[in-house]
Amino acid sequence: MTTIKPGPTPSLAPAQKLTLYYWMRLTRTFDEHMVALWKQGRGVGGTFSQRGHEAISVGASYALGPADVVAPMHRDLGTYLLRGLTPRRIFANLLGRAAGVTHGRDANLHGIGDLSLGIFGFISHLPHSLPAGLGAAMSFRYRDEPRVAMSFTGDGGSSAGLFHETLNLAAVYNAPWVLIVENNQYAYSTPIRQQMKVIGIAQRAEAYGIPGVAVDGNDVEAVYAVVRDAVERARAGGGPTLVEAKTMRMLGHAIHDGAEYVPPELLAEWEVRDPVLCYAARLLADGVAGQAELDEIERRCAAEIEDAIAFAEASPWPDPATIGEGVYAP
Ligand SMILES: Cc1ncc(C[n+]2csc(CCOP(=O)(O)OP(=O)(O)O)c2C)c(N)n1
Ligand SMILES: [Mg+2]
């Protein structure tokens, strides 16, 4: 297996650690409110649960520079938030309002993106965010720009043919591209043992001659360390890396899915490794922050999300006369 050893864990300043915690906590609070809103019948579009994925979406995207680009997927709310899509714009999108990212075209995390923030709109077809990200990476290489592109997919997405074609091309072109595979044990209701024989998805990198590394996807600092190494190697001309971040999808595929097919023992095993709660405990134990400081972050996140929901619910619906706008390129 082509496992690369992560370099020394970057020494993160206390302020950076609290920044990581803030983005994870904001993602968690957003997710909890989204679930509640939809259960109350106030939601409009489709939703995908984020619980369990916070350390991956936040830790990986924190490793990017401002000029880099990212092609996230449907579990990467933390990436959208960290890169600058505001909770107001995303909630307005989920509620189908004109102020939403897609102006009411798609009341989902699908399609949300903003090229001015370096975020590709999520492409619903899996894993099409891979060749899209690779295309950006190749353009950076051709223009000799020191920029990196990052794509995300899931364990299920890694079984599609396009995954393999994209990895092969990325390797041959030595593209400045980093691929994050979020292995959350399930692709909708299909457990990983029913879709692949290999133990680790990172092993697949070897077939293409590029480094592959597996990381604990519930440890935000570990994710950041491994991905930062991969990003810096790509930026220095060292080519692509496949990072497999292992976690567990703690809720259903989306809110309509009760996930009765997931064994409760498996969930219990992962519950104690909750990425947000474990990081809070670590910050306290290491003396990075006191309980009052963490409580304050939690309060700030709750206030931001409540404001976003109030904003979205008070926002106008899109004008039907604009229905054809922004759908086709002129
Ligand atoms: C080509 C394609 N087929 C089916 C779907 C429907 N679909 C959306 S998410 C999903 C499961 C994907 O599983 P995985 O890649 O493991 O990501 P996860 O949802 O577990 O994070 C499916 C089947 C899709 N979006 N695209
Ligand atoms: Mg999955």
Side-chain angles (χ1 to χ4, degrees):
M1 176 172 169
T2 325
T3 306
I4 49 162
K5 285 208 186 321
T9 306
S11 51
L12 287 162
Q16 290 177 297
K17 294 183 182 196
L18 289 176
T19 299
L20 288 173
Y21 179 66
Y22 162 78
W23 289 117
M24 284 205 296
R25 174 47 73 185
L26 189 69
T27 307
R28 172 64 57 88
T29 306
F30 189 119
D31 196 42
E32 287 175 348
H33 278 72
M34 181 169 76
V35 171
L37 210 66
W38 263 251
K39 286 188 173 167
Q40 291 161 9
R42 287 155 69 198
V44 176
T47 56
F48 297 100
S49 62
Q50 306 293 318
R51 202 177 184 88
H53 283 256
E54 297 90 344
I56 305 174
S57 58
V58 170
S61 47
Y62 193 64
L64 291 172
D68 298 333
V69 298
V70 61
M73 68 158 192
H74 52 287
R75 308 261 177 235
D76 298 318
L77 177 62
T79 300
Y80 295 113
L81 293 168
L82 187 149
R83 293 287 301 195
L85 275 186
T86 62
R88 279 186 170 205
R89 285 182 73 194
I90 305 177
F91 257 114
N93 202 68
L94 291 172
L95 293 179
R97 307 307 164 106
V101 189
T102 65
H103 309 295
R105 301 295 182 279
D106 189 350
N108 207 314
L109 287 177
H110 281 177
I112 70 167
D114 186 334
L115 287 178
S116 73
L117 300 169
I119 312 170
F120 279 38
F122 171 54
I123 305 166
S124 174
H125 302 81
L126 301 169
H128 288 61
S129 297
L130 271 56
L134 174 59
M138 285 165 71
S139 78
F140 298 154
R141 244 207 66 194
Y142 290 139
R143 295 187 202 135
D144 213 11
E145 294 173 352
R147 298 166 72 190
V148 173
M150 179 182 286
S151 297
F152 289 78
T153 194
D155 45 283
S158 81
S159 297
L162 194 53
F163 173 92
H164 302 276
E165 295 172 45
T166 310
L167 268 155
N168 190 55
L169 197 64
V172 168
Y173 280 88
N174 205 40
W177 182 59
V178 176
L179 170 59
I180 314 292
V181 180
E182 304 186 50
N183 178 357
N184 64 1
Q185 322 294 325
Y186 280 83
Y188 210 129
S189 56
T190 306
I192 193 141
R193 66 175 184 283
Q194 282 180 19
Q195 55 152 323
M196 61 187 76
K197 281 268 195 179
V198 291
I199 307 277
I201 298 170
Q203 277 179 294
R204 294 180 173 181
E206 192 170 359
Y208 306 103
I210 64 168
V213 61
V215 66
D216 177 358
N218 281 27
D219 179 340
V220 69
E221 289 190 21
V223 172
Y224 169 67
V226 162
V227 176
R228 194 195 66 154
D229 257 24
V231 166
E232 292 320 317
R233 187 170 44 257
R235 202 185 304 288
T241 302
L242 162 56
V243 176
E244 175 191 8
K246 293 177 193 277
T247 187
M248 176 73 205
R249 193 194 71 204
M250 296 304 291
L251 295 173
H253 176 69
I255 287 165
H256 63 269
D257 171 25
E260 295 81 5
Y261 49 82
V262 177
E265 316 81 70
L266 185 59
L267 289 172
E269 204 181 291
W270 284 87
E271 187 68 52
V272 294
R273 300 177 53 197
D274 183 290
V276 183
L277 302 183
C278 288
Y279 198 49
R282 187 153 136 202
L283 294 175
L284 285 174
D286 292 350
V288 175
Q291 189 60 53
E293 213 169 337
L294 298 187
D295 288 348
E296 179 49 34
I297 291 175
E298 204 170 326
R299 260 196 303 277
R300 192 149 55 96
C301 292
E304 266 189 75
I305 298 304
E306 280 156 23
D307 162 79
I309 293 171
F311 168 82
E313 289 197 313
S315 292
W317 296 98
D319 177 356
T322 66
I323 195 163
E325 290 174 15
V327 178
Y328 297 105

